Amino acid sequence: MSNVSDETRSRIESDSYCETLGIDIVELEAGFARTELTITEDLLNFHGTPHGAAIYSLADAAFAAASNSHGEPAVGLEANISYLEAADTGETLTATAEETHVSGRTAEYEITVTGEGGNRIATFRGRVYRP
């Protein structure tokens, strides 16, 4: 049984930017989310590797889903990403977001982006404010 309301889940899953890029929310619980994106040729940069913005967007989608999963609005205060390894065209990447700290109206999330073999592609950290 999910601990995320149907209304909240529906709102999070209706993100048109994620739909445009092909990002799917595959798991959503309070303070936790998992998203997936298959790397297509449309997402490659001029080096022939996935564009950093595509990987950032995948991680950011998991961050947004996890941080808004409690049913109250959460807006990003800051985020950073470290790119660790390139991914291959056709590979499905997974971003896993976990709530790591809550204090008053702010919360912190750590997001790990992995490839199909479990190799770490990127590490993302974000902080939100809940007005």
Side-chain angles (χ1 to χ4, degrees):
M1 177 63 82
S2 174
N3 54 4
V4 177
S5 75
D6 289 342
E7 178 183 344
T8 297
R9 181 177 300 278
S10 177
R11 186 170 40 87
I12 290 170
E13 290 176 346
S14 69
D15 188 301
S16 60
Y17 181 72
C18 288
E19 185 177 328
T20 298
L21 287 182
I23 295 171
D24 294 318
I25 297 171
V26 295
E27 192 173 350
L28 181 63
E29 298 297 332
F32 177 89
R34 185 169 283 125
T35 57
E36 289 183 346
L37 173 67
T38 299
I39 300 301
T40 62
E41 289 192 14
D42 293 344
L43 300 176
L44 302 181
N45 61 27
F46 57 85
H47 294 297
T49 59
H51 199 290
I55 295 169
Y56 184 97
S57 292
L58 174 65
D60 191 48
F63 170 49
S67 64
N68 283 278
S69 63
H70 298 288
E72 57 186 278
V75 294
L77 287 173
E78 63 182 342
N80 64 58
I81 191 167
S82 296
Y83 299 101
L84 306 171
E85 190 174 315
D88 295 323
T89 305
E91 185 173 9
T92 298
L93 303 183
T94 302
T96 303
E98 297 184 69
E99 189 172 72
T100 56
H101 182 75
V102 178
S103 178
R105 295 207 165 277
T106 64
E108 182 180 82
Y109 295 80
E110 291 182 11
I111 298 88
T112 303
V113 179
T114 55
E116 289 176 1
N119 54 317
R120 188 176 287 210
I121 302 295
T123 303
F124 177 110
R125 188 179 64 108
R127 211 163 54 91
V128 296
Y129 174 74
R130 293 191 178 105

